[in-house]
Amino acid sequence: MKYAYVVSGSIGKVYHTGQGYTTPDGTRYPSNIWRNKEWLGDNNLYEIIPATRHDTTFYMNGAPALVWDSKSSTVKQTITREDRSVEDIKATLKNSTFQGMIGSLVDTQWHLDRKASQASYSIPDDVAAYRRGIYEKYDSYIASIDAASDLDKLKALMIQTDLAGNVTGSLWDWGRFEDFVLAEEEVA
């Protein structure tokens, strides 16, 4: 936790609760002084309310700044943001999608490796169905990313909802192995 020394509306030094405190007149206090809220207020020390950083998928965070709010007697940290370009966001999402696909396929990769080194080995149907399903999802996700034309549409990709508006997942819900096998069996 951090505290700021405030005099006449100006923010001075910032202190961390794990350290002792020395007043401007040189009086030293141990590190447990930060527990005494009344003493802190009497000595112009106010807890810093941290800002929530903006989602770096969509925004570039600016440098944090401290602002004194005299009405609530608090010091608030603020962080400015700047929108990232749509193309930059698309590149980030495509890379994340590719990494998600690779992560989903890694557990079945040994089947392909064995097939490459042992011609008589047959990849099980359920494994082939799973891998096909992952590749189809990947293609679908990339098409969705490419189709999004602005920041709001890219953000909408991150949260998937059903017709009733209930959140059902995100862009990278790759599914479980069993889901693909069952779906393949239903088609057959």
Side-chain angles (χ1 to χ4, degrees):
M1 203 175 292
K2 295 180 182 179
Y3 287 82
Y5 180 68
V6 180
V7 175
S8 301
S10 294
I11 298 170
K13 188 172 177 181
V14 172
Y15 297 91
H16 299 269
T17 55
Q19 66 190 35
Y21 172 69
T22 304
T23 63
D25 68 7
T27 306
R28 297 169 50 104
Y29 291 91
S31 61
N32 66 353
I33 195 66
W34 304 108
R35 295 184 200 142
N36 187 337
K37 302 298 181 194
E38 185 178 332
W39 183 90
L40 293 171
D42 291 344
N43 287 278
N44 300 321
L45 292 161
Y46 300 92
E47 183 178 348
I48 297 172
I49 310 300
T52 302
R53 298 188 71 74
H54 304 285
D55 184 344
T56 57
T57 303
F58 304 106
Y59 307 103
M60 292 180 286
N61 287 299
L66 299 178
V67 177
W68 168 247
D69 182 351
S70 59
K71 290 179 183 172
S72 63
S73 294
T74 58
V75 176
K76 296 178 181 175
Q77 182 186 53
T78 61
I79 298 176
T80 59
R81 73 176 194 201
E82 183 180 328
D83 292 353
R84 291 178 58 200
S85 73
V86 169
E87 291 309 312
D88 189 27
I89 296 168
K90 284 184 177 185
T92 299
L93 292 177
K94 286 179 180 181
N95 182 51
S96 295
T97 303
F98 180 76
Q99 295 302 322
M101 178 190 66
I102 296 300
S104 296
L105 295 172
V106 72
D107 289 340
T108 59
Q109 181 61 39
W110 69 271
H111 289 283
L112 275 72
D113 296 342
R114 185 169 177 195
K115 177 71 176 166
S117 65
Q118 186 180 7
S120 63
Y121 179 75
S122 294
I123 296 173
D125 291 341
D126 57 350
V127 171
Y130 172 73
R131 293 181 69 86
R132 238 185 340 271
I134 294 295
Y135 284 120
E136 288 169 5
K137 277 193 168 207
Y138 174 78
D139 291 341
S140 171
Y141 293 162
I142 294 299
S144 296
I145 292 167
D146 284 337
S149 58
D150 61 35
L151 184 63
D152 289 334
K153 289 180 180 158
L154 287 167
K155 282 182 180 180
L157 292 175
M158 301 300 287
I159 301 295
Q160 303 296 318
T161 57
D162 61 18
L163 294 175
N166 300 314
V167 174
T168 59
S170 72
L171 177 64
W172 297 286
D173 281 343
W174 293 97
R176 300 173 309 152
F177 182 83
E178 298 81 16
D179 297 335
F180 288 98
V181 174
L182 291 173
E184 189 84 4
E185 289 172 359
E186 290 172 5
V187 171

